[in-house]
Amino acid sequence: MKKGIELLATGSALPAKVVTNEDLRRLVDTSDEWIVKRTGIRERRHCVGENQFSLAAGAAQAALERSGVDPARVAACIVTTICADNISPSCACLLQRALGLPEQTVCFDLNGACAGFVYGLQVISGLLTEDRPYGILVSSETLSRLSDFTDRSTCVLFGDGAGAAVVGLCDSPYGLCGDFGSRSNREVLYIPSATASEPSYIHMEGQAVFKFAVDIIPRCIDRVLQQAGLTMDGVDLVVMHQANARIIDHVAKHLKLPPEKCFKNIARYGNMSSACIPIALDDLYREGRLSAGMRLLPVGFGGGLTWGGALLEVGDIK
Ligand code: COA
């Protein structure tokens, strides 16, 4: 039997402050109608007292506790983020102490932009061993800190949040199936770092990113299915990065996916970069929609440009 990767528990943490479209209308020339129609977003969360680490810790602790996994058997802790509070130490190293993980745990942050969680799944699977077959993958983002609240074309899109998954190596008839890639491009989406000479704000050509997304997602999904020897009938849920409800609907229509197979929670949170997919997984868990034996297909895409899709089997989820 081949080795695959399975989901054992999820967790999430969101800032308390809800920011509605109406709240943003007071800052920029926009409307609830425009935002809902063009993006599907109704509200998002913004950090006030929370930060990127506190959200990561909240999500990771919830997932680890729920999993019942002994921290001594965790081989790796990876945090995917483009918003780390510190360049060093990494958020993952800080989490090591908060979660009581042993010194032998590999801890590092990974920047795969909005494809980060799916990149992380692939990377963490290579670090798990028979003795220590568990990994903690956390995605924590505070995009409100990188938003220019004078730019209506970007500031309405993004929100803050963290999601976490405890994953494990499993026997699988499919093995590790994933399709990943990147297409070097600074023109359509870039965020200068805090050390750059210009302000650290999100710059985006929305239509170009939209076209990239609707082109790459179906091709990525096809390639994952081919590797697994599955058709879409063999997949229970496609969990796409939540950047725009129109992107998700466009892909669903193209692939003839019924709405119940295509999860969407963008209305409540907006785009939280790599945190969208694990928060979606935790929402699914809390809605009682995940059970052992299910096959999920998370797909991310974003800055870089990057994309990634993978088969994620649901284990004995707690
Ligand atoms: N409120 C009101 N009007 C707005 C607005 C807002 N918040 N933002 C932009 N507009 C205006 C534009 O100024 C433009 O006006 P004009 O026609 O007078 O020039 C008009 O709306 C259309 O703008 P456009 O950029 O063509 O809109 P769009 O339909 O492409 O929607 C996005 C914009 C950003 C929502 C959409 O392109 C998108 O979601 N792209 C993908 C982004 C993405 O996936 N990012 C993820 C990276 S991880």
XYZ file of all heavy atoms in Angstrom, residues 238-312:
569
model
N -14.530 19.686 -2.956
C -13.435 20.526 -3.450
C -13.429 21.778 -2.572
O -14.464 22.418 -2.392
C -13.661 20.906 -4.926
C -12.588 21.872 -5.401
C -13.670 19.652 -5.797
N -12.277 22.063 -1.974
C -12.178 23.236 -1.092
C -11.185 24.205 -1.720
O -9.972 24.053 -1.592
C -11.726 22.826 0.330
C -11.731 24.040 1.262
C -12.637 21.739 0.895
N -11.728 25.193 -2.427
C -10.864 26.146 -3.130
C -10.508 27.321 -2.236
O -11.279 27.679 -1.337
C -11.603 26.703 -4.352
C -11.560 25.819 -5.555
S -12.476 26.581 -6.907
C -13.898 25.506 -6.979
N -9.381 27.936 -2.541
C -9.026 29.204 -1.903
C -10.177 30.197 -2.116
O -10.717 30.306 -3.216
C -7.732 29.728 -2.526
C -7.392 31.101 -2.093
N -7.413 31.482 -0.775
C -7.045 32.220 -2.799
C -7.083 32.762 -0.691
N -6.859 33.231 -1.905
N -10.523 30.914 -1.042
C -11.703 31.793 -1.094
C -11.264 33.224 -1.441
O -11.130 34.077 -0.567
C -12.427 31.756 0.253
C -12.716 30.356 0.770
C -13.951 29.731 0.137
O -15.008 30.346 0.122
N -13.812 28.522 -0.391
N -11.026 33.459 -2.730
C -10.605 34.807 -3.143
C -11.767 35.596 -3.704
O -11.828 36.816 -3.550
C -9.498 34.717 -4.189
N -12.675 34.902 -4.365
C -13.809 35.584 -4.975
C -14.858 34.513 -5.274
O -14.541 33.495 -5.904
C -13.348 36.281 -6.274
C -14.445 37.140 -6.870
O -15.619 36.757 -6.891
N -14.076 38.314 -7.357
N -16.103 34.730 -4.844
C -17.156 33.727 -5.070
C -17.346 33.479 -6.562
O -17.683 32.365 -6.981
C -18.468 34.202 -4.450
N -17.055 34.517 -7.388
C -17.240 34.330 -8.835
C -16.190 33.383 -9.405
O -16.458 32.663 -10.361
C -17.199 35.684 -9.563
C -18.472 36.513 -9.338
C -18.489 37.737 -10.237
N -17.425 38.653 -9.901
C -16.602 39.233 -10.785
N -16.719 38.992 -12.072
N -15.653 40.060 -10.390
N -14.983 33.378 -8.813
C -13.957 32.421 -9.276
C -14.435 30.997 -8.958
O -14.393 30.092 -9.800
C -12.594 32.699 -8.595
C -12.036 34.052 -9.056
C -11.600 31.574 -8.877
C -10.719 34.458 -8.398
N -14.922 30.807 -7.736
C -15.366 29.467 -7.309
C -16.538 29.007 -8.194
O -16.557 27.872 -8.692
C -15.759 29.490 -5.818
C -14.532 29.864 -4.970
C -16.340 28.144 -5.378
C -14.828 30.119 -3.498
N -17.498 29.907 -8.427
C -18.678 29.538 -9.234
C -18.272 29.229 -10.679
O -18.804 28.305 -11.299
C -19.708 30.678 -9.222
C -20.304 30.878 -7.832
O -20.151 29.971 -6.981
O -20.901 31.952 -7.593
N -17.321 30.003 -11.195
C -16.864 29.806 -12.572
C -16.233 28.417 -12.721
O -16.538 27.671 -13.657
C -15.843 30.911 -12.883
C -15.481 31.032 -14.326
N -14.696 30.117 -14.975
C -15.780 31.969 -15.254
C -14.527 30.478 -16.229
N -15.180 31.603 -16.430
N -15.367 28.069 -11.760
C -14.697 26.759 -11.819
C -15.728 25.641 -11.634
O -15.692 24.618 -12.344
C -13.586 26.665 -10.735
C -13.018 25.263 -10.655
C -12.476 27.679 -11.018
N -16.655 25.836 -10.697
C -17.675 24.807 -10.434
C -18.494 24.548 -11.694
O -18.775 23.397 -12.048
C -18.570 25.251 -9.285
N -18.827 25.624 -12.395
C -19.632 25.476 -13.618
C -18.821 24.730 -14.691
O -19.308 23.786 -15.314
C -20.017 26.872 -14.117
C -21.100 26.865 -15.145
C -21.595 28.275 -15.393
C -22.412 28.275 -16.683
N -22.514 29.585 -17.269
N -17.564 25.147 -14.841
C -16.685 24.530 -15.837
C -16.534 23.025 -15.579
O -16.531 22.217 -16.503
C -15.323 25.229 -15.789
C -14.316 24.709 -16.735
N -14.202 25.176 -18.022
C -13.363 23.744 -16.605
C -13.228 24.523 -18.634
N -12.699 23.651 -17.793
N -16.405 22.655 -14.313
C -16.185 21.240 -13.967
C -17.505 20.502 -13.708
O -17.486 19.338 -13.319
C -15.298 21.128 -12.720
C -13.869 21.650 -12.838
C -13.168 21.608 -11.491
C -13.075 20.837 -13.859
N -18.602 21.207 -13.874
C -19.945 20.647 -13.607
C -20.049 20.091 -12.185
O -20.582 19.010 -11.948
C -20.287 19.553 -14.624
C -20.317 20.055 -16.055
C -20.900 18.974 -16.981
C -21.028 19.432 -18.408
N -19.784 19.737 -19.103
N -19.496 20.864 -11.234
C -19.530 20.442 -9.824
C -20.854 20.851 -9.202
O -21.210 22.026 -9.265
C -18.441 21.170 -9.031
C -17.020 20.675 -9.086
C -16.125 21.593 -8.272
C -16.968 19.268 -8.519
N -21.570 19.934 -8.566
C -22.788 20.361 -7.865
C -22.418 21.246 -6.671
O -21.340 21.060 -6.081
C -23.421 19.042 -7.399
C -22.329 18.040 -7.446
C -21.290 18.509 -8.431
N -23.275 22.214 -6.313
C -22.929 23.166 -5.245
C -22.512 22.481 -3.942
O -21.618 22.965 -3.247
C -24.222 23.966 -5.041
C -25.056 23.711 -6.241
C -24.598 22.450 -6.881
N -23.115 21.328 -3.630
C -22.789 20.680 -2.348
C -21.362 20.105 -2.319
O -20.842 19.753 -1.268
C -23.840 19.612 -1.974
C -23.939 18.417 -2.890
C -24.836 18.657 -4.117
O -25.221 19.804 -4.374
O -25.134 17.659 -4.810
N -20.715 20.025 -3.493
C -19.329 19.511 -3.537
C -18.306 20.626 -3.505
O -17.101 20.380 -3.613
C -19.127 18.718 -4.827
C -19.277 17.241 -4.633
C -18.652 16.495 -5.766
C -18.914 15.023 -5.551
N -18.352 14.205 -6.584
N -18.782 21.848 -3.461
C -17.880 22.976 -3.652
C -18.077 23.956 -2.489
O -19.033 24.720 -2.495
C -18.283 23.602 -4.975
S -17.050 24.596 -5.652
N -17.191 23.905 -1.514
C -17.440 24.667 -0.283
C -17.138 26.151 -0.472
O -16.157 26.528 -1.105
C -16.581 24.107 0.848
C -16.891 24.735 2.170
C -18.080 24.450 2.816
C -16.026 25.638 2.756
C -18.397 25.048 4.033
C -16.326 26.235 3.968
C -17.509 25.932 4.603
N -17.989 26.977 0.147
C -17.822 28.435 0.051
C -18.167 29.073 1.396
O -19.258 28.856 1.912
C -18.807 28.963 -0.997
C -18.151 29.738 -2.089
C -19.085 30.432 -3.053
C -20.327 29.734 -3.471
N -21.079 30.438 -4.507
N -17.224 29.811 1.967
C -17.556 30.575 3.177
C -17.033 32.007 3.070
O -16.917 32.708 4.067
C -17.012 29.883 4.445
C -15.498 29.772 4.425
O -14.840 30.232 3.492
N -14.932 29.165 5.452
N -16.711 32.429 1.851
C -16.107 33.750 1.638
C -16.993 34.882 2.150
O -16.484 35.916 2.578
C -15.747 33.949 0.143
C -14.980 35.258 -0.043
C -16.962 33.880 -0.761
C -14.371 35.452 -1.401
N -18.306 34.691 2.159
C -19.215 35.767 2.588
C -18.875 36.240 3.996
O -18.962 37.421 4.303
C -20.658 35.273 2.546
N -18.413 35.318 4.851
C -18.185 35.652 6.263
C -16.778 36.156 6.578
O -16.578 36.826 7.585
C -18.461 34.421 7.136
C -19.941 34.191 7.363
C -20.175 32.967 8.189
N -19.984 31.758 7.394
C -19.509 30.631 7.862
N -19.143 30.530 9.108
N -19.389 29.588 7.069
N -15.808 35.793 5.719
C -14.415 36.077 6.100
C -13.597 36.833 5.064
O -12.498 37.283 5.385
C -13.665 34.770 6.379
C -14.339 33.819 7.332
C -14.581 32.507 6.966
C -14.708 34.237 8.612
C -15.181 31.616 7.841
C -15.312 33.350 9.492
C -15.547 32.044 9.101
O -16.130 31.175 9.965
N -14.043 36.905 3.814
C -13.207 37.487 2.769
C -12.007 36.597 2.476
O -11.992 35.406 2.828
N -11.011 37.195 1.845
C -9.810 36.452 1.454
C -8.771 36.545 2.577
O -8.271 37.634 2.862
C -9.285 37.070 0.143
C -8.029 36.385 -0.371
O -7.383 35.627 0.344
N -7.669 36.674 -1.607
N -8.461 35.422 3.199
C -7.461 35.385 4.285
C -6.204 34.639 3.817
O -5.546 33.955 4.611
C -8.040 34.714 5.517
C -9.276 35.425 6.079
S -10.106 34.420 7.331
C -10.779 33.099 6.315
N -5.888 34.777 2.526
C -4.715 34.131 1.947
C -4.656 32.651 2.355
O -5.676 31.964 2.293
C -3.439 34.892 2.320
O -2.345 34.410 1.575
N -3.494 32.170 2.810
C -3.364 30.715 3.019
C -4.289 30.184 4.105
O -4.531 28.978 4.186
C -1.919 30.352 3.345
O -1.538 30.837 4.613
N -4.840 31.078 4.947
C -5.700 30.597 6.038
C -7.092 30.182 5.558
O -7.822 29.486 6.276
C -5.823 31.676 7.119
N -7.458 30.580 4.332
C -8.821 30.264 3.861
C -9.117 28.757 3.884
O -10.186 28.340 4.340
C -9.022 30.765 2.430
S -9.292 32.521 2.331
N -8.194 27.963 3.349
C -8.518 26.531 3.211
C -8.626 25.839 4.574
O -9.631 25.171 4.839
C -7.526 25.830 2.240
C -7.788 26.358 0.814
C -7.677 24.314 2.304
C -6.813 25.853 -0.242
N -7.646 26.002 5.503
C -7.839 25.313 6.792
C -9.025 25.860 7.599
O -9.642 25.098 8.358
C -6.510 25.521 7.521
C -5.858 26.660 6.838
C -6.312 26.618 5.406
N -9.360 27.132 7.441
C -10.555 27.636 8.138
C -11.805 27.001 7.508
O -12.746 26.622 8.212
C -10.608 29.182 8.120
C -9.519 29.737 9.050
C -11.989 29.705 8.537
C -9.357 31.250 9.039
N -11.790 26.840 6.191
C -12.915 26.151 5.535
C -13.024 24.717 6.059
O -14.121 24.224 6.334
C -12.715 26.148 4.022
N -11.878 24.045 6.239
C -11.904 22.663 6.752
C -12.491 22.643 8.159
O -13.274 21.757 8.520
C -10.492 22.059 6.760
C -9.834 21.859 5.390
C -8.403 21.344 5.556
C -10.648 20.915 4.512
N -12.135 23.639 8.976
C -12.671 23.673 10.346
C -14.167 24.006 10.339
O -14.927 23.456 11.142
C -11.884 24.683 11.194
C -12.175 24.502 12.672
O -12.082 23.348 13.156
O -12.546 25.483 13.348
N -14.588 24.878 9.449
C -16.027 25.160 9.332
C -16.776 23.880 8.943
O -17.831 23.564 9.498
C -16.297 26.246 8.271
C -16.119 27.659 8.824
O -15.668 27.793 9.981
O -16.427 28.629 8.101
N -16.205 23.139 7.990
C -16.835 21.881 7.565
C -16.935 20.911 8.732
O -17.955 20.256 8.947
C -16.023 21.235 6.433
C -16.210 21.848 5.051
C -15.070 21.441 4.121
C -17.551 21.415 4.456
N -15.823 20.846 9.510
C -15.827 19.944 10.679
C -16.939 20.343 11.655
O -17.709 19.516 12.116
C -14.452 19.989 11.369
C -14.472 19.326 12.713
C -14.428 17.935 12.812
C -14.594 20.067 13.889
C -14.489 17.311 14.041
C -14.653 19.449 15.116
C -14.602 18.070 15.186
O -14.678 17.457 16.408
N -16.995 21.664 11.941
C -17.972 22.112 12.945
C -19.409 22.008 12.436
O -20.335 21.912 13.212
C -17.618 23.514 13.443
C -16.415 23.421 14.429
C -15.954 24.715 15.052
N -15.412 25.606 14.069
C -16.027 26.698 13.631
N -17.195 27.030 14.103
N -15.464 27.452 12.727
N -19.572 21.980 11.123
C -20.913 21.759 10.553
C -21.233 20.259 10.465
O -22.275 19.875 9.941
C -20.988 22.365 9.138
C -21.017 23.889 9.132
C -20.817 24.477 7.720
O -21.035 23.761 6.715
O -20.419 25.654 7.645
N -20.320 19.414 10.949
C -20.557 17.960 10.960
C -20.465 17.346 9.565
O -21.042 16.289 9.303
N -19.712 18.005 8.661
C -19.687 17.538 7.274
C -18.435 16.746 6.920
O -18.241 16.376 5.767
C -19.843 18.730 6.324
C -21.234 19.336 6.393
C -21.348 20.608 5.562
N -21.113 20.368 4.134
C -21.016 21.346 3.229
N -21.136 22.601 3.610
N -20.805 21.067 1.966
N -17.560 16.473 7.920
C -16.376 15.657 7.638
C -16.505 14.313 8.343
O -16.881 14.267 9.515
C -15.102 16.359 8.136
C -14.705 17.664 7.460
C -13.373 18.151 8.005
C -14.638 17.533 5.930
N -16.209 13.234 7.637
C -16.191 11.928 8.304
C -15.106 11.060 7.688
O -14.660 11.304 6.546
C -17.561 11.251 8.188
O -17.935 11.211 6.845
N -14.697 10.059 8.473
C -13.585 9.189 8.058
C -13.875 8.579 6.687
O -15.009 8.175 6.407
C -13.383 8.093 9.095
N -12.835 8.559 5.852
C -12.972 7.933 4.532
C -13.283 8.924 3.423
O -13.220 8.570 2.239
N -13.630 10.162 3.797
C -13.918 11.142 2.746
C -12.630 11.530 2.014
O -11.550 11.495 2.590
C -14.548 12.410 3.345
C -15.990 12.245 3.721
S -16.609 13.723 4.563
C -16.864 14.826 3.200
N -12.789 11.936 0.769
C -11.650 12.424 -0.016
C -11.896 13.888 -0.363
O -12.915 14.223 -0.982
C -11.495 11.591 -1.288
C -10.965 10.196 -1.002
C -10.859 9.369 -2.272
N -12.184 9.009 -2.754
C -12.824 7.883 -2.440
N -12.255 6.999 -1.652
N -14.025 7.640 -2.906
N -10.960 14.733 0.090
C -11.082 16.176 -0.134
C -10.046 16.596 -1.170
O -8.987 15.973 -1.301
C -10.819 16.944 1.166
C -11.568 16.468 2.415
C -11.163 17.319 3.619
C -13.075 16.539 2.198
N -10.373 17.677 -1.860
C -9.393 18.199 -2.821
C -9.251 19.708 -2.592
O -10.022 20.496 -3.144
C -9.866 17.873 -4.250
C -8.780 17.694 -5.295
C -9.305 17.022 -6.537
C -8.053 18.954 -5.621
N -8.322 20.097 -1.710
C -8.065 21.524 -1.518
C -7.217 22.085 -2.673
O -6.296 21.408 -3.141
C -7.278 21.564 -0.201
C -6.687 20.211 -0.036
C -7.524 19.235 -0.810
N -7.554 23.298 -3.106
C -6.807 23.945 -4.199
C -6.570 25.412 -3.853
O -7.514 26.155 -3.585
C -7.600 23.939 -5.534
C -6.680 24.367 -6.682
C -8.207 22.600 -5.829
N -5.291 25.801 -3.863
C -4.954 27.194 -3.575
C -4.274 27.845 -4.768
O -3.706 27.165 -5.624
N -4.335 29.177 -4.824
C -3.641 29.919 -5.876
C -3.424 31.334 -5.365
O -4.187 31.811 -4.535
C -4.483 29.973 -7.169
C -5.794 30.680 -6.945
C -5.908 32.055 -7.142
C -6.893 29.987 -6.481
C -7.101 32.715 -6.889
C -8.086 30.642 -6.224
C -8.195 32.004 -6.421
N -2.376 31.992 -5.836
C -2.192 33.369 -5.384
C -0.850 33.945 -5.785
O -0.257 33.551 -6.796
N -0.371 34.884 -4.960
C 0.830 35.660 -5.272
C 2.022 34.757 -5.556
O 2.185 33.695 -4.955
N 2.832 35.218 -6.463
C 4.031 34.435 -6.834
C 4.363 34.487 -8.303
O 5.453 34.815 -8.656
N 3.418 34.087 -9.135
C 2.131 33.450 -8.835
C 2.350 31.981 -8.457
O 3.251 31.347 -9.001
C 1.200 33.530 -10.049
C 0.838 34.963 -10.466
C 0.188 34.981 -11.841
C -0.078 35.634 -9.448
N 1.530 31.457 -7.578
C 1.655 30.063 -7.163
C 0.303 29.360 -7.268
O -0.739 30.009 -7.239
C 2.078 29.968 -5.685
O 1.140 30.721 -4.897
C 3.474 30.483 -5.440
N 0.354 28.052 -7.380
C -0.862 27.264 -7.238
C -0.533 25.880 -6.711
O 0.605 25.423 -6.820
C -1.635 27.145 -8.558
C -1.018 26.205 -9.550
C -1.230 24.861 -9.671
C -0.062 26.552 -10.579
N -0.461 24.355 -10.707
C 0.251 25.367 -11.275
C 0.543 27.747 -10.967
C 1.149 25.347 -12.342
C 1.439 27.723 -12.032
C 1.734 26.528 -12.694
N -1.527 25.237 -6.123
C -1.319 23.874 -5.645
C -2.647 23.217 -5.333
O -3.570 23.863 -4.826
N -2.743 21.942 -5.683
C -3.930 21.152 -5.346
C -3.454 19.802 -4.868
O -2.393 19.323 -5.300
N -4.179 19.168 -3.966
C -3.733 17.868 -3.433
C -4.932 17.049 -2.990
O -5.985 17.601 -2.655
C -2.796 18.079 -2.246
N -4.731 15.755 -2.988
C -5.760 14.867 -2.434
C -5.510 14.763 -0.935
O -4.392 14.496 -0.505
C -5.648 13.488 -3.078
C -6.781 12.529 -2.741
C -8.078 12.969 -3.405
C -6.431 11.116 -3.215
N -6.540 14.999 -0.137
C -6.414 14.917 1.325
C -7.509 13.981 1.830
O -8.700 14.281 1.699
C -6.575 16.319 1.934
C -6.533 16.430 3.451
C -5.207 15.943 4.015
C -6.771 17.883 3.891
